[in-house]
Amino acid sequence: MLIAIEGIDGAGKTTISRFLRDELEKRGFSVVLLKEPTDGEYGRKIKEAEKRFDPEEELKLFLLDRKEDVEKNILPALKNGKVVIMDRYYISSIAYQGARGLDMDEIRRMNEEIAPKPDVVIILDVSPQEGLRRVGNRGSRTVFEEESYLAKVRENFLKIGDMWSETTRNVKIINAERELEEVKKDVLDAVLRVLSR
Ligand code: TMP
């Protein structure tokens, strides 16, 4: 079982991912929680960059980082019967690199060549204003965190959510501007529903 937690910066992905891991462990599942971009060679290159890469270069780095994560961490964990929770996965590439003008279907295709499809996708939805307010409490902003850019990214996440839920894919868009306890409950319910099938 592969679960992806997605959303713009400041949506609460890290808090929710940890909560979900703890809840699933309490229920006896063996869980691995991973985060992208990773701390590997390419992930560090992305995070430590002082200026922005051009969109193609940026996408390439996220793909290389993800490929490494898939081979080293994700596939081995799935083979060992673990539940894998991704704090960001390739839906982030579709939404963020798509917002820089790259073709979203093409980004998806490139990713699905190297990365297994998630069984559940949770999109935590907040407005860019709220996301940035929360990120502001965390320190300085990065190049990914400008309001107009995040507005496009959010739109893309919502588009992907709508499109994928029309197919058989388990995608859930959750309003993450509400009280944390309510958000947690909705996420856990959505995941348990799929796990129990
Ligand atoms: P983080 O803040 O979750 O560590 O992620 C760093 C930034 O990387 C974040 O603003 C979103 C961006 N990102 C992409 O643009 N494409 C991707 O595929 C991923 C995983 C992250």
Side-chain angles (χ1 to χ4, degrees), residues 51-67:
K51 60 180 183 43
R52 192 129 208 206
F53 296 104
D54 64 48
E56 286 81 9
E57 180 71 10
E58 194 173 271
L59 175 63
K60 199 170 99 196
L61 286 171
F62 279 113
L63 276 164
L64 285 167
D65 184 43
R66 183 159 301 123
K67 189 161 188 288

mmCIF file with all atom_site columns, all heavy atoms in Angstrom, residues 51-67:
data_model
loop_
_atom_site.group_PDB
_atom_site.id
_atom_site.type_symbol
_atom_site.label_atom_id
_atom_site.label_alt_id
_atom_site.label_comp_id
_atom_site.label_asym_id
_atom_site.label_entity_id
_atom_site.label_seq_id
_atom_site.pdbx_PDB_ins_code
_atom_site.Cartn_x
_atom_site.Cartn_y
_atom_site.Cartn_z
_atom_site.occupancy
_atom_site.B_iso_or_equiv
_atom_site.pdbx_formal_charge
_atom_site.auth_seq_id
_atom_site.auth_comp_id
_atom_site.auth_asym_id
_atom_site.auth_atom_id
_atom_site.pdbx_PDB_model_num
ATOM 1   N N   . LYS A 1 51 ? 19.845 29.800 -6.959  1.00 0.00 ? 51 LYS A N   1
ATOM 2   C CA  . LYS A 1 51 ? 18.835 30.367 -7.843  1.00 0.00 ? 51 LYS A CA  1
ATOM 3   C C   . LYS A 1 51 ? 18.083 29.248 -8.547  1.00 0.00 ? 51 LYS A C   1
ATOM 4   O O   . LYS A 1 51 ? 18.486 28.093 -8.509  1.00 0.00 ? 51 LYS A O   1
ATOM 5   C CB  . LYS A 1 51 ? 19.435 31.371 -8.808  1.00 0.00 ? 51 LYS A CB  1
ATOM 6   C CG  . LYS A 1 51 ? 20.502 30.847 -9.735  1.00 0.00 ? 51 LYS A CG  1
ATOM 7   C CD  . LYS A 1 51 ? 20.961 32.012 -10.595 1.00 0.00 ? 51 LYS A CD  1
ATOM 8   C CE  . LYS A 1 51 ? 21.989 31.644 -11.628 1.00 0.00 ? 51 LYS A CE  1
ATOM 9   N NZ  . LYS A 1 51 ? 21.862 30.455 -12.404 1.00 0.00 ? 51 LYS A NZ  1
ATOM 10  N N   . ARG A 1 52 ? 16.996 29.648 -9.150  1.00 0.00 ? 52 ARG A N   1
ATOM 11  C CA  . ARG A 1 52 ? 16.076 28.672 -9.699  1.00 0.00 ? 52 ARG A CA  1
ATOM 12  C C   . ARG A 1 52 ? 16.629 28.020 -10.967 1.00 0.00 ? 52 ARG A C   1
ATOM 13  O O   . ARG A 1 52 ? 17.153 28.695 -11.834 1.00 0.00 ? 52 ARG A O   1
ATOM 14  C CB  . ARG A 1 52 ? 14.782 29.412 -10.027 1.00 0.00 ? 52 ARG A CB  1
ATOM 15  C CG  . ARG A 1 52 ? 13.665 28.487 -10.319 1.00 0.00 ? 52 ARG A CG  1
ATOM 16  C CD  . ARG A 1 52 ? 12.483 28.835 -9.505  1.00 0.00 ? 52 ARG A CD  1
ATOM 17  N NE  . ARG A 1 52 ? 11.712 27.635 -9.304  1.00 0.00 ? 52 ARG A NE  1
ATOM 18  C CZ  . ARG A 1 52 ? 10.416 27.620 -9.075  1.00 0.00 ? 52 ARG A CZ  1
ATOM 19  N NH1 . ARG A 1 52 ? 9.759  28.756 -9.002  1.00 0.00 ? 52 ARG A NH1 1
ATOM 20  N NH2 . ARG A 1 52 ? 9.778  26.502 -8.899  1.00 0.00 ? 52 ARG A NH2 1
ATOM 21  N N   . PHE A 1 53 ? 16.481 26.701 -11.069 1.00 0.00 ? 53 PHE A N   1
ATOM 22  C CA  . PHE A 1 53 ? 16.839 26.009 -12.306 1.00 0.00 ? 53 PHE A CA  1
ATOM 23  C C   . PHE A 1 53 ? 15.768 26.310 -13.347 1.00 0.00 ? 53 PHE A C   1
ATOM 24  O O   . PHE A 1 53 ? 14.643 26.658 -12.997 1.00 0.00 ? 53 PHE A O   1
ATOM 25  C CB  . PHE A 1 53 ? 16.862 24.497 -12.075 1.00 0.00 ? 53 PHE A CB  1
ATOM 26  C CG  . PHE A 1 53 ? 17.917 24.051 -11.108 1.00 0.00 ? 53 PHE A CG  1
ATOM 27  C CD1 . PHE A 1 53 ? 17.582 23.688 -9.810  1.00 0.00 ? 53 PHE A CD1 1
ATOM 28  C CD2 . PHE A 1 53 ? 19.250 23.978 -11.500 1.00 0.00 ? 53 PHE A CD2 1
ATOM 29  C CE1 . PHE A 1 53 ? 18.550 23.271 -8.910  1.00 0.00 ? 53 PHE A CE1 1
ATOM 30  C CE2 . PHE A 1 53 ? 20.224 23.560 -10.611 1.00 0.00 ? 53 PHE A CE2 1
ATOM 31  C CZ  . PHE A 1 53 ? 19.878 23.209 -9.316  1.00 0.00 ? 53 PHE A CZ  1
ATOM 32  N N   . ASP A 1 54 ? 16.108 26.118 -14.630 1.00 0.00 ? 54 ASP A N   1
ATOM 33  C CA  . ASP A 1 54 ? 15.016 26.270 -15.589 1.00 0.00 ? 54 ASP A CA  1
ATOM 34  C C   . ASP A 1 54 ? 14.092 25.062 -15.432 1.00 0.00 ? 54 ASP A C   1
ATOM 35  O O   . ASP A 1 54 ? 14.463 24.045 -14.844 1.00 0.00 ? 54 ASP A O   1
ATOM 36  C CB  . ASP A 1 54 ? 15.514 26.516 -17.018 1.00 0.00 ? 54 ASP A CB  1
ATOM 37  C CG  . ASP A 1 54 ? 16.284 25.358 -17.579 1.00 0.00 ? 54 ASP A CG  1
ATOM 38  O OD1 . ASP A 1 54 ? 15.791 24.221 -17.466 1.00 0.00 ? 54 ASP A OD1 1
ATOM 39  O OD2 . ASP A 1 54 ? 17.373 25.576 -18.126 1.00 0.00 ? 54 ASP A OD2 1
ATOM 40  N N   . PRO A 1 55 ? 12.845 25.168 -15.916 1.00 0.00 ? 55 PRO A N   1
ATOM 41  C CA  . PRO A 1 55 ? 11.838 24.145 -15.600 1.00 0.00 ? 55 PRO A CA  1
ATOM 42  C C   . PRO A 1 55 ? 12.247 22.721 -15.989 1.00 0.00 ? 55 PRO A C   1
ATOM 43  O O   . PRO A 1 55 ? 12.038 21.787 -15.207 1.00 0.00 ? 55 PRO A O   1
ATOM 44  C CB  . PRO A 1 55 ? 10.618 24.590 -16.405 1.00 0.00 ? 55 PRO A CB  1
ATOM 45  C CG  . PRO A 1 55 ? 10.793 26.047 -16.603 1.00 0.00 ? 55 PRO A CG  1
ATOM 46  C CD  . PRO A 1 55 ? 12.261 26.304 -16.668 1.00 0.00 ? 55 PRO A CD  1
ATOM 47  N N   . GLU A 1 56 ? 12.863 22.572 -17.168 1.00 0.00 ? 56 GLU A N   1
ATOM 48  C CA  . GLU A 1 56 ? 13.253 21.215 -17.605 1.00 0.00 ? 56 GLU A CA  1
ATOM 49  C C   . GLU A 1 56 ? 14.309 20.629 -16.677 1.00 0.00 ? 56 GLU A C   1
ATOM 50  O O   . GLU A 1 56 ? 14.264 19.450 -16.320 1.00 0.00 ? 56 GLU A O   1
ATOM 51  C CB  . GLU A 1 56 ? 13.800 21.225 -19.046 1.00 0.00 ? 56 GLU A CB  1
ATOM 52  C CG  . GLU A 1 56 ? 12.752 21.405 -20.123 1.00 0.00 ? 56 GLU A CG  1
ATOM 53  C CD  . GLU A 1 56 ? 12.341 22.855 -20.315 1.00 0.00 ? 56 GLU A CD  1
ATOM 54  O OE1 . GLU A 1 56 ? 12.996 23.750 -19.723 1.00 0.00 ? 56 GLU A OE1 1
ATOM 55  O OE2 . GLU A 1 56 ? 11.350 23.088 -21.041 1.00 0.00 ? 56 GLU A OE2 1
ATOM 56  N N   . GLU A 1 57 ? 15.277 21.461 -16.322 1.00 0.00 ? 57 GLU A N   1
ATOM 57  C CA  . GLU A 1 57 ? 16.359 21.030 -15.443 1.00 0.00 ? 57 GLU A CA  1
ATOM 58  C C   . GLU A 1 57 ? 15.794 20.656 -14.061 1.00 0.00 ? 57 GLU A C   1
ATOM 59  O O   . GLU A 1 57 ? 16.175 19.651 -13.461 1.00 0.00 ? 57 GLU A O   1
ATOM 60  C CB  . GLU A 1 57 ? 17.370 22.191 -15.327 1.00 0.00 ? 57 GLU A CB  1
ATOM 61  C CG  . GLU A 1 57 ? 18.571 21.905 -14.448 1.00 0.00 ? 57 GLU A CG  1
ATOM 62  C CD  . GLU A 1 57 ? 19.542 20.919 -15.067 1.00 0.00 ? 57 GLU A CD  1
ATOM 63  O OE1 . GLU A 1 57 ? 19.384 20.598 -16.262 1.00 0.00 ? 57 GLU A OE1 1
ATOM 64  O OE2 . GLU A 1 57 ? 20.429 20.437 -14.336 1.00 0.00 ? 57 GLU A OE2 1
ATOM 65  N N   . GLU A 1 58 ? 14.877 21.478 -13.596 1.00 0.00 ? 58 GLU A N   1
ATOM 66  C CA  . GLU A 1 58 ? 14.251 21.240 -12.293 1.00 0.00 ? 58 GLU A CA  1
ATOM 67  C C   . GLU A 1 58 ? 13.511 19.895 -12.292 1.00 0.00 ? 58 GLU A C   1
ATOM 68  O O   . GLU A 1 58 ? 13.675 19.069 -11.393 1.00 0.00 ? 58 GLU A O   1
ATOM 69  C CB  . GLU A 1 58 ? 13.277 22.388 -12.008 1.00 0.00 ? 58 GLU A CB  1
ATOM 70  C CG  . GLU A 1 58 ? 12.797 22.476 -10.581 1.00 0.00 ? 58 GLU A CG  1
ATOM 71  C CD  . GLU A 1 58 ? 11.978 23.748 -10.378 1.00 0.00 ? 58 GLU A CD  1
ATOM 72  O OE1 . GLU A 1 58 ? 12.571 24.793 -10.046 1.00 0.00 ? 58 GLU A OE1 1
ATOM 73  O OE2 . GLU A 1 58 ? 10.747 23.706 -10.573 1.00 0.00 ? 58 GLU A OE2 1
ATOM 74  N N   . LEU A 1 59 ? 12.715 19.682 -13.353 1.00 0.00 ? 59 LEU A N   1
ATOM 75  C CA  . LEU A 1 59 ? 11.975 18.419 -13.463 1.00 0.00 ? 59 LEU A CA  1
ATOM 76  C C   . LEU A 1 59 ? 12.937 17.239 -13.482 1.00 0.00 ? 59 LEU A C   1
ATOM 77  O O   . LEU A 1 59 ? 12.702 16.216 -12.827 1.00 0.00 ? 59 LEU A O   1
ATOM 78  C CB  . LEU A 1 59 ? 11.108 18.423 -14.735 1.00 0.00 ? 59 LEU A CB  1
ATOM 79  C CG  . LEU A 1 59 ? 10.371 17.117 -15.044 1.00 0.00 ? 59 LEU A CG  1
ATOM 80  C CD1 . LEU A 1 59 ? 9.371  16.779 -13.937 1.00 0.00 ? 59 LEU A CD1 1
ATOM 81  C CD2 . LEU A 1 59 ? 9.651  17.203 -16.393 1.00 0.00 ? 59 LEU A CD2 1
ATOM 82  N N   . LYS A 1 60 ? 14.026 17.396 -14.233 1.00 0.00 ? 60 LYS A N   1
ATOM 83  C CA  . LYS A 1 60 ? 14.993 16.305 -14.343 1.00 0.00 ? 60 LYS A CA  1
ATOM 84  C C   . LYS A 1 60 ? 15.567 15.946 -12.967 1.00 0.00 ? 60 LYS A C   1
ATOM 85  O O   . LYS A 1 60 ? 15.698 14.774 -12.621 1.00 0.00 ? 60 LYS A O   1
ATOM 86  C CB  . LYS A 1 60 ? 16.114 16.719 -15.307 1.00 0.00 ? 60 LYS A CB  1
ATOM 87  C CG  . LYS A 1 60 ? 16.898 15.553 -15.839 1.00 0.00 ? 60 LYS A CG  1
ATOM 88  C CD  . LYS A 1 60 ? 17.817 15.950 -16.952 1.00 0.00 ? 60 LYS A CD  1
ATOM 89  C CE  . LYS A 1 60 ? 19.212 16.136 -16.394 1.00 0.00 ? 60 LYS A CE  1
ATOM 90  N NZ  . LYS A 1 60 ? 20.121 16.868 -17.295 1.00 0.00 ? 60 LYS A NZ  1
ATOM 91  N N   . LEU A 1 61 ? 15.872 16.967 -12.187 1.00 0.00 ? 61 LEU A N   1
ATOM 92  C CA  . LEU A 1 61 ? 16.434 16.710 -10.853 1.00 0.00 ? 61 LEU A CA  1
ATOM 93  C C   . LEU A 1 61 ? 15.425 16.009 -9.940  1.00 0.00 ? 61 LEU A C   1
ATOM 94  O O   . LEU A 1 61 ? 15.775 15.075 -9.213  1.00 0.00 ? 61 LEU A O   1
ATOM 95  C CB  . LEU A 1 61 ? 16.899 18.021 -10.208 1.00 0.00 ? 61 LEU A CB  1
ATOM 96  C CG  . LEU A 1 61 ? 18.189 18.602 -10.780 1.00 0.00 ? 61 LEU A CG  1
ATOM 97  C CD1 . LEU A 1 61 ? 18.429 20.005 -10.228 1.00 0.00 ? 61 LEU A CD1 1
ATOM 98  C CD2 . LEU A 1 61 ? 19.384 17.698 -10.446 1.00 0.00 ? 61 LEU A CD2 1
ATOM 99  N N   . PHE A 1 62 ? 14.171 16.452 -9.984  1.00 0.00 ? 62 PHE A N   1
ATOM 100 C CA  . PHE A 1 62 ? 13.154 15.776 -9.167  1.00 0.00 ? 62 PHE A CA  1
ATOM 101 C C   . PHE A 1 62 ? 12.983 14.320 -9.608  1.00 0.00 ? 62 PHE A C   1
ATOM 102 O O   . PHE A 1 62 ? 12.799 13.428 -8.774  1.00 0.00 ? 62 PHE A O   1
ATOM 103 C CB  . PHE A 1 62 ? 11.812 16.523 -9.225  1.00 0.00 ? 62 PHE A CB  1
ATOM 104 C CG  . PHE A 1 62 ? 11.737 17.721 -8.312  1.00 0.00 ? 62 PHE A CG  1
ATOM 105 C CD1 . PHE A 1 62 ? 11.648 19.012 -8.823  1.00 0.00 ? 62 PHE A CD1 1
ATOM 106 C CD2 . PHE A 1 62 ? 11.755 17.572 -6.931  1.00 0.00 ? 62 PHE A CD2 1
ATOM 107 C CE1 . PHE A 1 62 ? 11.584 20.121 -7.970  1.00 0.00 ? 62 PHE A CE1 1
ATOM 108 C CE2 . PHE A 1 62 ? 11.689 18.671 -6.077  1.00 0.00 ? 62 PHE A CE2 1
ATOM 109 C CZ  . PHE A 1 62 ? 11.611 19.951 -6.599  1.00 0.00 ? 62 PHE A CZ  1
ATOM 110 N N   . LEU A 1 63 ? 13.073 14.086 -10.928 1.00 0.00 ? 63 LEU A N   1
ATOM 111 C CA  . LEU A 1 63 ? 12.939 12.707 -11.430 1.00 0.00 ? 63 LEU A CA  1
ATOM 112 C C   . LEU A 1 63 ? 14.106 11.833 -10.991 1.00 0.00 ? 63 LEU A C   1
ATOM 113 O O   . LEU A 1 63 ? 13.912 10.680 -10.595 1.00 0.00 ? 63 LEU A O   1
ATOM 114 C CB  . LEU A 1 63 ? 12.858 12.719 -12.965 1.00 0.00 ? 63 LEU A CB  1
ATOM 115 C CG  . LEU A 1 63 ? 11.473 12.972 -13.564 1.00 0.00 ? 63 LEU A CG  1
ATOM 116 C CD1 . LEU A 1 63 ? 11.592 13.345 -15.038 1.00 0.00 ? 63 LEU A CD1 1
ATOM 117 C CD2 . LEU A 1 63 ? 10.583 11.732 -13.415 1.00 0.00 ? 63 LEU A CD2 1
ATOM 118 N N   . LEU A 1 64 ? 15.314 12.391 -11.051 1.00 0.00 ? 64 LEU A N   1
ATOM 119 C CA  . LEU A 1 64 ? 16.493 11.619 -10.629 1.00 0.00 ? 64 LEU A CA  1
ATOM 120 C C   . LEU A 1 64 ? 16.417 11.309 -9.137  1.00 0.00 ? 64 LEU A C   1
ATOM 121 O O   . LEU A 1 64 ? 16.724 10.202 -8.692  1.00 0.00 ? 64 LEU A O   1
ATOM 122 C CB  . LEU A 1 64 ? 17.765 12.410 -10.937 1.00 0.00 ? 64 LEU A CB  1
ATOM 123 C CG  . LEU A 1 64 ? 18.168 12.452 -12.414 1.00 0.00 ? 64 LEU A CG  1
ATOM 124 C CD1 . LEU A 1 64 ? 19.247 13.517 -12.645 1.00 0.00 ? 64 LEU A CD1 1
ATOM 125 C CD2 . LEU A 1 64 ? 18.670 11.078 -12.875 1.00 0.00 ? 64 LEU A CD2 1
ATOM 126 N N   . ASP A 1 65 ? 15.979 12.315 -8.373  1.00 0.00 ? 65 ASP A N   1
ATOM 127 C CA  . ASP A 1 65 ? 15.844 12.133 -6.928  1.00 0.00 ? 65 ASP A CA  1
ATOM 128 C C   . ASP A 1 65 ? 14.808 11.045 -6.638  1.00 0.00 ? 65 ASP A C   1
ATOM 129 O O   . ASP A 1 65 ? 15.011 10.153 -5.812  1.00 0.00 ? 65 ASP A O   1
ATOM 130 C CB  . ASP A 1 65 ? 15.422 13.475 -6.305  1.00 0.00 ? 65 ASP A CB  1
ATOM 131 C CG  . ASP A 1 65 ? 15.360 13.403 -4.780  1.00 0.00 ? 65 ASP A CG  1
ATOM 132 O OD1 . ASP A 1 65 ? 16.277 12.816 -4.172  1.00 0.00 ? 65 ASP A OD1 1
ATOM 133 O OD2 . ASP A 1 65 ? 14.397 13.941 -4.192  1.00 0.00 ? 65 ASP A OD2 1
ATOM 134 N N   . ARG A 1 66 ? 13.698 11.105 -7.374  1.00 0.00 ? 66 ARG A N   1
ATOM 135 C CA  . ARG A 1 66 ? 12.612 10.142 -7.150  1.00 0.00 ? 66 ARG A CA  1
ATOM 136 C C   . ARG A 1 66 ? 13.028 8.739  -7.559  1.00 0.00 ? 66 ARG A C   1
ATOM 137 O O   . ARG A 1 66 ? 12.715 7.765  -6.872  1.00 0.00 ? 66 ARG A O   1
ATOM 138 C CB  . ARG A 1 66 ? 11.382 10.603 -7.938  1.00 0.00 ? 66 ARG A CB  1
ATOM 139 C CG  . ARG A 1 66 ? 10.146 9.748  -7.739  1.00 0.00 ? 66 ARG A CG  1
ATOM 140 C CD  . ARG A 1 66 ? 8.899  10.523 -8.118  1.00 0.00 ? 66 ARG A CD  1
ATOM 141 N NE  . ARG A 1 66 ? 8.776  11.724 -7.313  1.00 0.00 ? 66 ARG A NE  1
ATOM 142 C CZ  . ARG A 1 66 ? 8.679  12.963 -7.825  1.00 0.00 ? 66 ARG A CZ  1
ATOM 143 N NH1 . ARG A 1 66 ? 8.654  13.164 -9.112  1.00 0.00 ? 66 ARG A NH1 1
ATOM 144 N NH2 . ARG A 1 66 ? 8.590  14.001 -7.006  1.00 0.00 ? 66 ARG A NH2 1
ATOM 145 N N   . LYS A 1 67 ? 13.737 8.625  -8.669  1.00 0.00 ? 67 LYS A N   1
ATOM 146 C CA  . LYS A 1 67 ? 14.157 7.316  -9.155  1.00 0.00 ? 67 LYS A CA  1
ATOM 147 C C   . LYS A 1 67 ? 15.022 6.625  -8.087  1.00 0.00 ? 67 LYS A C   1
ATOM 148 O O   . LYS A 1 67 ? 14.857 5.438  -7.799  1.00 0.00 ? 67 LYS A O   1
ATOM 149 C CB  . LYS A 1 67 ? 14.956 7.486  -10.452 1.00 0.00 ? 67 LYS A CB  1
ATOM 150 C CG  . LYS A 1 67 ? 15.271 6.214  -11.183 1.00 0.00 ? 67 LYS A CG  1
ATOM 151 C CD  . LYS A 1 67 ? 15.618 6.531  -12.638 1.00 0.00 ? 67 LYS A CD  1
ATOM 152 C CE  . LYS A 1 67 ? 15.747 5.270  -13.466 1.00 0.00 ? 67 LYS A CE  1
ATOM 153 N NZ  . LYS A 1 67 ? 16.950 4.502  -13.162 1.00 0.00 ? 67 LYS A NZ  1
#
